[in-house]
Amino acid sequence: MNRASFRFLFFLYLLNLIYFVTACSKPPQSQITIGSKFFTEQVVLAELLAQHIEAKTGIPVIRKANLGGTLLVHKALLAGELDLYVEYTGTALTAVLNESPSSYGRAVSPSDYSAAVYHRVKQLYSDRFRLEVTEPLGFENTFAMVIRGDDAKNLRLQKISDLAPIAPKWRAGVGYEFLERPDGFSGLTASYKLHFAESPRVMDLGLIYRALVDHQVDIVAGNSTDGLIDSLGLVALADDHHYFPPYDAVPIVRQSTLVQFPQLRAALADLAGKLSAADIRRLNFAVDALHQDAAAVVQQFRFSKGL
């Protein structure tokens, strides 16, 4: 090896050494990133967590809202692109863990059923993903089969099983995720023996109620806490077969983030049980129907709750 080649190799060695030392001495992150799925309630909840954490801990928070569906946000959390987001226990159980909710006690009381699903999700998220499922926020957001108020009144429809005789004349509208989920459209129609006039129309959740009001479809799979249901004169039918599992809203955080920011655990515990279904419905309504800024709506809510 000539002297020029030796010098070149030695130079590369020094560059690699400098890079290694710099990487090893890189300071740990001094902020956390909170994400959300692609609908209003998720944006509101992400903002609530962000504001509360910043106020109680001083940790700077990066917001990444409207990222997409459940699996995309979950993968971002596992990849370390997010530190925290709000999930729903029934969604975690079925869509992420691919477990059947029937194994956890549909025949027991609703509170016992919710507790069983929560503890199962908490255990498996820790074992499989090293994620911490923290205390529920206080409300459940279940899927809701929603129809126009006039149809509910004129056809005397109160529960999903009432649809069986008229389903062959009706068109259904669903979100992208609901069509594919194990707790979604195919299982629902099988449980209730519903045969609609055509395959469900798949659309963005932000457009689903407008399509219903405009008679583009006759029934949609919405969310029970959507603020537009009441404001548009719509009716959510009762799930009389108890097909849907519990969907308690729970913050999920990386265990490594809790180690780095131990004060985060107490801040999240502050929010346990603080939101009722009526609370989140009002927040969703303010953003969706009144077109108020989500950050301002959350700030006002925190003030009213003494948070």
Side-chain angles (χ1 to χ4, degrees):
M1 179 184 296
N2 59 38
R3 183 171 296 180
S5 298
F6 176 80
R7 287 177 177 174
F8 179 72
L9 290 175
F10 184 70
F11 177 71
L12 288 180
Y13 168 77
L14 285 178
L15 283 179
N16 286 330
L17 181 61
I18 292 170
Y19 176 81
F20 176 77
V21 171
T22 302
C24 289
S25 61
K26 184 179 179 181
Q29 69 178 41
S30 57
Q31 58 196 15
I32 66 172
T33 302
I34 295 179
S36 85
K37 302 184 198 182
F38 190 63
F39 58 94
T40 296
E41 178 171 298
Q42 281 277 299
V43 176
V44 168
L45 293 175
E47 183 62 29
L48 173 63
L49 295 184
Q51 287 190 22
H52 187 70
I53 289 168
E54 287 176 332
K56 294 297 181 179
T57 70
I59 303 170
V61 176
I62 296 175
R63 290 126 165 108
K64 289 187 178 180
N66 287 315
L67 290 178
T70 297
L71 296 182
L72 189 151
V73 179
H74 177 70
K75 288 178 180 178
L77 192 64
L78 294 182
E81 297 169 11
L82 301 177
D83 294 290
L84 173 66
Y85 85 105
V86 176
E87 189 52 274
Y88 307 92
T89 52
T91 298
L93 185 74
T94 57
V96 178
L97 296 171
N98 295 312
E99 296 212 348
S100 170
S102 61
S103 306
Y104 301 95
R106 275 180 168 154
V108 301
S109 70
S111 61
D112 289 343
Y113 189 15
S114 293
V117 170
Y118 169 77
H119 288 297
R120 180 62 171 169
V121 169
K122 185 177 179 68
Q123 175 192 341
L124 292 183
Y125 264 55
S126 178
D127 294 346
R128 295 186 190 178
F129 309 129
R130 297 190 182 280
L131 299 175
E132 184 79 12
V133 178
T134 62
E135 293 91 340
L137 295 174
F139 74 93
E140 177 188 12
N141 181 4
T142 185
F143 284 112
M145 302 311 295
V146 181
I147 63 176
R148 291 179 289 269
D150 288 346
D151 288 337
K153 180 180 179 181
N154 296 335
L155 299 174
R156 298 181 180 180
L157 304 175
Q158 297 180 331
K159 51 191 185 296
I160 299 176
S161 59
D162 293 339
L163 294 172
I166 63 172
K169 299 179 181 179
W170 274 25
R171 301 153 299 166
V174 301
Y176 303 100
E177 214 174 280
F178 189 73
L179 188 66
E180 304 294 335
R181 287 173 57 139
D183 54 346
F185 185 78
S186 60
L188 177 80
T189 52
S191 175
Y192 283 96
K193 296 181 173 55
L194 302 177
H195 304 281
F196 290 103
E198 57 188 44
S199 297
R201 300 187 185 186
V202 183
M203 60 190 74
D204 188 278
L205 288 177
L207 304 175
I208 207 161
Y209 293 124
R210 181 51 55 190
L212 180 60
V213 171
D214 291 343
H215 290 258
Q216 297 174 26
V217 293
D218 303 296
I219 183 170
V220 298
N223 295 312
S224 61
T225 55
D226 287 337
L228 292 177
I229 294 177
D230 291 338
S231 67
L232 294 176
L234 306 176
V235 171
L237 299 174
D239 177 20
D240 50 316
H241 286 187
H242 305 291
Y243 168 74
F244 294 117
Y247 297 95
D248 294 305
V250 290
I252 296 181
V253 59
R254 291 169 57 84
Q255 291 177 351
S256 58
T257 303
L258 288 174
V259 171
Q260 185 175 349
F261 301 103
Q263 67 272 45
L264 185 58
R265 188 181 295 276
L268 292 174
D270 283 345
L271 296 174
K274 290 297 193 300
L275 279 86
S276 67
D279 288 331
I280 193 64
R281 207 173 287 120
R282 282 193 295 269
L283 296 176
N284 291 337
F285 176 80
V287 176
D288 274 336
L290 303 180
H291 307 294
Q292 295 179 8
D293 177 66
V297 168
V298 167
Q299 188 175 37
Q300 184 177 9
F301 171 78
R302 291 184 59 247
F303 177 79
S304 70
K305 293 289 184 177
L307 296 171

